[in-house]
Amino acid sequence: NIDIIAMANKPFMLNISEFKKLDTVKIHHVEISVYDEKKGISDSLIIPFSLNDFEIEKVKNQILSKRNLSDWEINQLEGWINLYNEYSNAGESLLKYYAVRAIDSLSRKEETVQTYKKEGIHKFFIHSQLDERPVVVRTIIPKDYEENKEYPILFFIGAVYDERIFKFLRQNNITDQFIIADITGHRAVGGSYMGEAGMTELITWFFDNYKVDRDRVYIVGQSDGGYATWAYAQNHSEIPAGIYPQISTPFMETLDNTMNIPTFQTYSSKDVTFRNWKINKYRKLIEYGNYYQFNFENMRHTNFQTYLCNRIILKELVSKAKNRVPQNIIYKTVRNRHLTSDWVK
């Protein structure tokens, strides 16, 4: 580590090439931090270097030969290696650096504890029975979390693996006492069979590993993740207490299946998702009293992303609780694996 201090109000240049000439110096990254005398380090920027020569398989073999890893640790190692390779193919140098740090920590620690029940934001891997590979999971665990206490849960499904939107779902005084879980996992979303299978596996894992208030289970998703949210609610209407399938539309043949699920939707005529779309398609849901639409003018598809974390919509969504014995149920199945709706089978 080489620390260089420069005044913020004066130009400064660090010539990396001079360090690269030294055989004894191997630069992995340069970290530039903004230091405030009152707040300490307030921000930092990491610039990665020379990660292309990271011999991932060699490091993996060294770790396995040096340490007797538990099944949990092997899942973490395999998962991070998969992400490292994925980031390499995508040219994501900064994300590669974080993967290297995680892999390196596995090589140095005497024991890796399963921290996913500790307060904070966690990223880890569980073994999937679908493809026999580690699948990535992210959670936000509330402050003062108690393992024996039931918590409401907010499931998130992204169009892609999104690091940013997920973290913004934690809103003070709204979801700060929620378990928040990213179940994008296998990334086969959009309402497909594989997407449903992946979501079901992860939702089941959370129900098995946390004490969840089953009357307060919420699902939010955007774009392809929104389609997946619609599809899951239509086929498993007994699970969610409310859904927010943003910038997406349902399978119209089984739309009535969500009649007892409070549903929140953002709409703009400029979003290609809603081309040739008419509000009267949802007239039945409106009659049931569980459809809430928020209209935006001139909002395009990608601009809607941050509204998934809108405080007004989130507050309304999580105020709903599951009615386990609704007076009326309409349920249509087009697949024999979907046979249950609340108390009807």
Side-chain angles (χ1 to χ4, degrees), residues 13 16 90 92-93 110 130 137 159 161 166 179 187 206 221 226 248 270 302 336:
M13 180 178 290
I16 299 296
E92 294 281 1
S93 296
E110 294 182 1
L130 297 177
V137 177
Y161 189 70
F166 171 72
I179 296 171
R187 307 183 203 183
F206 275 95
S248 58
K270 298 296 184 182
T302 54
N336 281 337

Side-chain angles (χ1 to χ4, degrees), residues 181-225:
D182 184 346
I183 57 172
T184 307
H186 295 275
R187 307 183 203 183
V189 290
S192 66
Y193 168 72
M194 280 306 299
E196 180 190 349
M199 289 171 58
T200 300
E201 180 179 51
L202 292 177
I203 288 173
T204 301
W205 185 89
F206 275 95
F207 287 167
D208 290 344
N209 286 274
Y210 295 89
K211 284 187 71 68
V212 172
D213 182 350
R214 298 293 290 271
D215 290 334
R216 299 191 66 199
V217 175
Y218 309 95
I219 307 176
V220 301
Q222 57 182 201
S223 195
D224 278 357

Side-chain angles (χ1 to χ4, degrees), residues 85-97:
N85 290 328
E86 185 176 313
Y87 295 153
S88 296
N89 294 333
E92 294 281 1
S93 296
L94 182 58
L95 294 176
K96 278 172 61 178
Y97 165 71

Side-chain angles (χ1 to χ4, degrees), residues 2-68:
I2 302 173
D3 292 331
I4 301 173
I5 299 176
M7 298 300 292
N9 60 348
K10 293 183 179 180
F12 176 76
M13 180 178 290
L14 175 63
N15 192 341
I16 299 296
S17 61
E18 294 300 316
F19 290 101
K20 286 188 173 181
K21 292 177 182 178
L22 302 175
D23 293 335
T24 56
V25 175
K26 185 176 181 67
I27 299 178
H28 274 270
H29 71 280
V30 172
E31 182 172 353
I32 301 173
S33 299
V34 178
Y35 183 79
D36 185 293
E37 289 186 355
K38 295 182 179 179
K39 299 179 180 178
I41 294 179
S42 58
D43 200 4
S44 63
L45 172 66
I46 298 175
I47 306 172
F49 289 91
S50 305
L51 293 182
N52 290 330
D53 57 354
F54 188 73
E55 300 177 44
I56 196 75
E57 287 301 320
K58 181 179 178 181
V59 170
K60 173 185 173 181
N61 292 333
Q62 287 176 345
I63 294 174
L64 292 175
S65 63
K66 185 169 60 174
R67 293 193 53 207
N68 183 20

Side-chain angles (χ1 to χ4, degrees), residues 14 57 85 94 102 117 134 216 242 266 271 275 280 320 332-333 335:
L14 175 63
E57 287 301 320
N85 290 328
L94 182 58
K117 292 187 178 180
R216 299 191 66 199
T266 49
D271 184 348
R275 187 174 293 163
N280 61 8
K320 309 299 182 182
K332 180 178 182 179
T333 182
R335 301 178 181 91

Side-chain angles (χ1 to χ4, degrees), residues 230-235 237 250-259 285 330-335 338:
W230 270 117
Y232 195 85
Q234 289 175 265
N235 294 322
S237 55
F251 178 50
M252 298 305 298
E253 191 174 345
T254 59
L255 181 60
D256 285 338
N257 291 5
T258 61
M259 65 176 295
L285 293 189
I330 298 176
Y331 187 73
K332 180 178 182 179
T333 182
V334 293
R335 301 178 181 91
H338 302 138

